[in-house]
């Protein structure tokens, strides 16, 4: 598990999938994120764009063995993804 406001720990040599959940009301963001994670190849980093830090998602990611980083002020891009002022969480499988 990792929860931080910086980007360096995120793998940069993997494919990236973007999920924008800013328009969803709870529990939509949590549900959409967990469902997409089960469908993605293990080497993919999921970048979730949200309007807040996904506090209720973190324990579920821990239970499933994911590593994650949340940037509350990521700048204009994060892993090459336009952030548009979103809170950005990167989620990935640590050991491939």
């Amino acid at each position: 598990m990792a929860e931080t406001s910086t980007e360096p720990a995120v793998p940069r040599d993997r494919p990236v999938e973007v999920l924008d959940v800013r328009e969803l009301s709870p529990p939509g963001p949590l549900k959409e994120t967990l469902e997409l994670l089960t469908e993605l190849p293990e080497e993919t980093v999921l970048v979730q764009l949200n309007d807040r830090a996904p506090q209720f998602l973190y324990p579920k990611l821990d239970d499933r063995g994911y590593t994650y980083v949340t940037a509350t002020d990521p700048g204009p891009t994060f892993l090459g993804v336009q952030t548009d002022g979103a809170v950005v969480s990167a989620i990935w499988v640590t050991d491939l």
Side-chain angles (χ1 to χ4, degrees):
M1 179 197 97
E3 184 181 342
T4 180
S5 61
T6 59
E7 185 180 342
V10 180
R12 297 176 178 272
D13 60 345
R14 297 187 187 183
V16 173
E17 178 80 20
V18 179
L19 177 62
D20 189 342
V21 295
R22 291 177 283 186
E23 300 295 321
L24 299 178
S25 59
L30 179 118
K31 182 180 175 198
E32 292 285 324
T33 301
L34 292 175
E35 286 177 1
L36 184 54
L37 284 169
T38 63
E39 298 170 6
L40 290 176
E42 285 188 351
E43 66 272 6
T44 302
V45 175
L46 177 61
V47 175
Q48 183 207 64
L49 304 177
N50 205 332
D51 60 354
R52 68 191 82 178
Q55 297 296 326
F56 295 108
L57 179 62
Y58 299 144
K60 305 231 181 260
L61 295 174
D62 290 337
D63 290 346
R64 289 164 173 82
Y66 287 97
T67 301
Y68 51 89
V69 172
T70 295
T72 56
D73 187 19
T77 61
F78 185 96
L79 292 177
V81 175
Q82 293 294 120
T83 62
D84 300 323
V87 173
V88 179
S89 294
I91 305 162
W92 67 95
V93 174
T94 305
D95 299 320
L96 292 179

